[in-house]
Amino acid sequence: MDLKLRPFDFAAAVARAGMSSNGQPVAQTRAAGGASFGDAMVKAMQSVSTQQNEAQRLQREVQLDNPAVSLEETMVAMQKAQIGFQATLQVRNRLVSAYSEIMNMQV
C-alpha cells in the first residue's frame, strides 16, 4: 500500500465549506444549490394548511349530506391534518427551545 501525504490545502477546504478566505459565508445561489431551511419550512406550512382546508371542506360536505363524500374519507383527512399540525407544532417548539439555549450561552 502506497500512501502519499499531501500538504493541507486550506483554501480548498474553506471553499468546500462554503466560506470565503476571511471566514465569512459565501452567498449561495438558490438555483444551483438546494432549498434553504426557511424554504422547507414554508413548504411544510403550506402543506399543513392545504390539508386542513381539505379536511374542513370534506367535513362541510359530510354535514350537508353530500353522497359523493364518505365519512371515512373525511375522518382520514381530519387525522392527516391533525398529525401534520402536531408535527409542525413540535418542530416550532424545538426551534424555540434551541434558540433559547443559544441565546443563554456564555460568550
Side-chain angles (χ1 to χ4, degrees), residues 64-84:
L64 295 174
D65 291 330
N66 185 348
V69 178
S70 68
L71 180 61
E72 295 83 10
E73 178 185 10
T74 303
M75 294 302 291
V76 168
M78 289 171 60
Q79 287 299 314
K80 283 182 181 180
Q82 182 165 359
I83 289 170

Side-chain angles (χ1 to χ4, degrees), residues 6-76:
R6 293 179 287 149
F8 183 71
D9 187 1
F10 182 75
V14 168
R16 278 193 308 266
M19 304 284 228
S20 64
S21 60
N22 64 359
Q24 296 298 319
V26 176
Q28 298 176 355
T29 59
R30 299 252 190 254
S36 70
F37 180 76
D39 293 341
M41 283 300 292
V42 167
K43 286 180 184 177
M45 296 291 266
Q46 289 172 342
S47 174
V48 169
S49 177
T50 302
Q51 287 177 342
Q52 288 178 332
N53 290 338
E54 178 66 12
Q56 275 185 335
R57 185 188 68 77
L58 289 172
Q59 190 176 13
R60 193 175 323 110
E61 292 295 324
V62 165
Q63 288 174 350
L64 295 174
D65 291 330
N66 185 348
V69 178
S70 68
L71 180 61
E72 295 83 10
E73 178 185 10
T74 303
M75 294 302 291
V76 168

